[in-house]
Amino acid sequence: MTAGPTPALDVSLLAGFRYACRPDCGLCCFAEPRVTPRERTQLLSIAPTLGFVERGREECIAARPEGGACGLLRNLRCGGHPARPSPCREFPISVHLGERLQATVVLSCPGVDVRGLDGPEPAVGDPAPMGFDEELSRVRARIGPDVPARLKASTARRRRIARHLESDGRWVPESEVRSEWDGRAVEVPDSAFPVESPPEAADGLDLLPLTFAGTAGPWAIAGALGGWEVLELRETGGIARSLGVVPAPERPPLMSADGARLLDRYLHYWLARDVLFGVVHLSMLDDPRGTVSEWVAAELARIGATVLARADVLAAVRGGRPGRLSADDIAVGLRATDQDLLDRATWGSRL
Ligand code: SF4
Ligand code: SF4
């Protein structure tokens, strides 16, 4: 059997973004990165006591317990940088393997400038390079001979779901749904509130949504009695301090005009991501109501409400709730949300 041509990587969703990894961050290292056998050998030559864990069929670097970072992180720097595995070299690019290979930017990464959501034109007077060259070349190097078969299998899964929803009169193709939103703002209605609480700290610190806050460890948002608690985590595991518990909003917080515009751009970015449709189609199989268009509208409202609620809570612990959430507040909220929601199951998979 021949492997077929190497599938193209769609990088259109990278256009307009600029990226440079921040040396004071380490956020993406609060994870268990997957390793190949070769990467494992290289890492062990640098760090002979490094621990590994099996996750399904994959081997990963073990994170320290209680929400700690990968065993190689020391003072927010990678102790195995020259031998770090592929996921670390590729971040903040995430590739959804569905009917095509679509690269998207993980906006939780504080090294990415969210002004890229404004579109492909770089900001005036700002000629900085995009900064994704190394990450993209690593992604491309990993598009192996197995990928055409995986694309074929996920395309067949999507087709089966489409046929099923079509027979119920609920199917609307992606292109049609996207065109329904051309030039149209995404509303976040009152009915999208209150949003689902994050897990509680007692359920496991590794389950909590994280965000970079410029402190010695990332901030995690946890459900708590009387609201949501914001916690600073230690890279060695455990909670360094609590920033406080504040009530989560019951209704959409007010936004400045710039804040509302940034949130709308972010929701349109979601609409362009294939992963959104993969998540929605799967969810529709468990519920006999509604068309794809209606589900996408509800999902965008849910994402928008989650961003708003997290932005509001994080603004409150940083120094008091503002009268209106600014674009900076919304950026904080979407950074605290993006990775979390990108990690959901679809009829496709991650490269
Ligand atoms: S989250 Fe982004 S800025 Fe932070 S360490 Fe990872 S790649 Fe660098
Ligand atoms: S290997 Fe290095 S870059 Fe990758 S998660 Fe661990 S500390 Fe971070």
Side-chain angles (χ1 to χ4, degrees), residues 61-74:
I61 301 178
R64 280 98 153 216
E66 289 189 77
C70 156
L72 281 167
L73 196 69
R74 296 273 181 283

Side-chain angles (χ1 to χ4, degrees), residues 28-31 33 43 61 70-73 77-81 84-85 88:
C28 58
C29 303
F30 282 71
L43 284 165
I61 301 178
C70 156
L72 281 167
L73 196 69
R77 298 292 181 107
C78 175
H81 194 72
R84 67 198 190 287
C88 312

Side-chain angles (χ1 to χ4, degrees), residues 19-23 25-29 76 88 91-92 108-112 212:
Y19 158 70
C21 180
R22 291 181 61 134
C25 175
L27 178 70
C28 58
C29 303
L76 305 180
C88 312
F91 196 83
S108 298
C109 167
V112 174
F212 171 74

Side-chain angles (χ1 to χ4, degrees), residues 169-249:
R170 307 169 68 204
W171 178 252
V172 186
E174 287 87 335
S175 56
E176 211 172 295
V177 177
R178 285 177 172 138
S179 69
E180 287 168 9
W181 290 94
D182 277 351
R184 194 174 136 203
V186 181
E187 300 291 334
V188 180
D190 287 12
S191 58
F193 282 80
V195 305
E196 195 181 328
S197 281
E200 295 187 15
D203 295 333
L205 298 177
D206 53 328
L207 300 176
L208 305 179
L210 299 181
T211 194
F212 171 74
T215 50
W219 287 9
I221 307 175
L225 202 61
W228 293 359
E229 185 169 22
V230 180
L231 304 162
E232 185 184 320
L233 301 189
R234 285 197 188 92
E235 70 179 23
T236 50
I239 298 166
R241 60 184 172 132
S242 169
L243 283 299
V245 177
V246 294

Side-chain angles (χ1 to χ4, degrees), residues 269-321:
Y269 195 65
W270 263 102
L271 195 60
R273 285 170 161 171
D274 293 348
V275 66
L276 176 87
F277 289 88
V279 168
V280 160
H281 296 157
L282 271 193
S283 308
M284 289 178 73
L285 296 179
D286 295 329
D287 188 325
R289 294 165 297 178
T291 64
V292 176
S293 297
E294 289 162 349
W295 274 76
V296 166
E299 182 60 17
L300 292 175
R302 194 170 81 83
I303 295 170
T306 303
V307 169
L308 277 172
R310 292 183 184 180
D312 187 62
V313 166
L314 288 166
V317 299
R318 276 176 186 274
R321 283 187 155 105

